[in-house]
Amino acid sequence: MKEFQSHHLPLRGLDHHVLTWGDPAAPKLFLVHGWMDGGASFQFLVDALARDWYAIAPDLRGYGRSAWQPQGYWFHDYVADLEALVDVFAPGESVDLIGHSLGGNIVMQYAGVRPQRVRAVVSLEGFGIPAETPDKAPKRFAKWLDAVREPPEFKPYASLDAVADRLQKTNPRLPRDYALFLAGHWAEVLPDGSARLLADPRHKLPFPSVYRMEEVYAIWRRITAPVLWVAAAHSDIPKWLAEHPEGEIGADSLAGVRRRLTHVPHGRLVTIDDAAHMLHHDQPAAVAAAIEPFLRAAPGPG
């Protein structure tokens, strides 16, 4: 495995843990992880990259070894944290962004809100979430109010091996050595030998508002950088997105994803075979092979 460096720095008043790989003089590549994950999740993808990059992967607030936010977590804060990170590592530069799942949605939103700061965008399995109609708003709000009265908790695991077992149960394609590596970053060992997840359980709180797809499309349409959406052939995400008012997916399992991509001016879609949602764990070499030619072809320095 390529060696990483561990950094702690304040971003918007909150301590963030950031991993970096490679020479700081090399082209920069920002990597944003998904829900219930951490920056170390990109280790296998970084290992598979052929070019020399300076890869920069934060633990988002409330994940890994970054500080927790007692008031809960809001998507807009992740976007603002990303901008703060870019300002630290690449001030005044136009940058390359890769995000997985939640991270993919973060980099897509940032690319539309700050188009001048982004040279190229790669979203791995991050194509938005199911749209909701306004009539769902009252129940959404009430459900959130009920949840914050008794915040969720995570039960401890018997050991890091048990955490690795859970990772492999969730993703049967995950090799054991990968699972053990991730478990060491996903959890910490307590004095009694048990393991506690390095994530704030308040991430499990429901959203208090509905997801307005029209607003997301308006932001995506402002993206000026080339965009690569990378889907996994065995992912459940396309089916999840299809079960909303935008309509059924029909014979094309990726029809819902393709329909959303029409709102991205310079977007294209590729699919990774023999991979599920955690495609950068299942097929890191194939993901790297899709990403690097795309980044090389992007206009501007990089």
Side-chain angles (χ1 to χ4, degrees), residues 200-221:
D200 189 339
R202 280 170 289 211
H203 287 295
K204 296 181 69 176
L205 289 171
F207 298 130
S209 57
V210 298
Y211 188 72
R212 300 176 181 89
M213 207 60 223
E214 298 82 4
E215 296 178 11
V216 176
Y217 288 154
I219 292 172
W220 287 357
R221 284 193 287 266

Side-chain angles (χ1 to χ4, degrees), residues 224-242:
T224 56
V227 175
L228 181 67
W229 278 9
V230 186
H234 301 285
S235 172
D236 290 330
I237 295 295
K239 181 178 184 296
W240 180 55
L241 294 181

Side-chain angles (χ1 to χ4, degrees), residues 79-104:
V79 179
D81 291 344
L82 174 60
E83 176 159 88
L85 183 74
V86 169
D87 285 343
V88 169
F89 283 93
E93 298 178 27
S94 179
V95 298
D96 294 339
L97 303 175
I98 297 177
H100 171 251
S101 195
L102 166 64

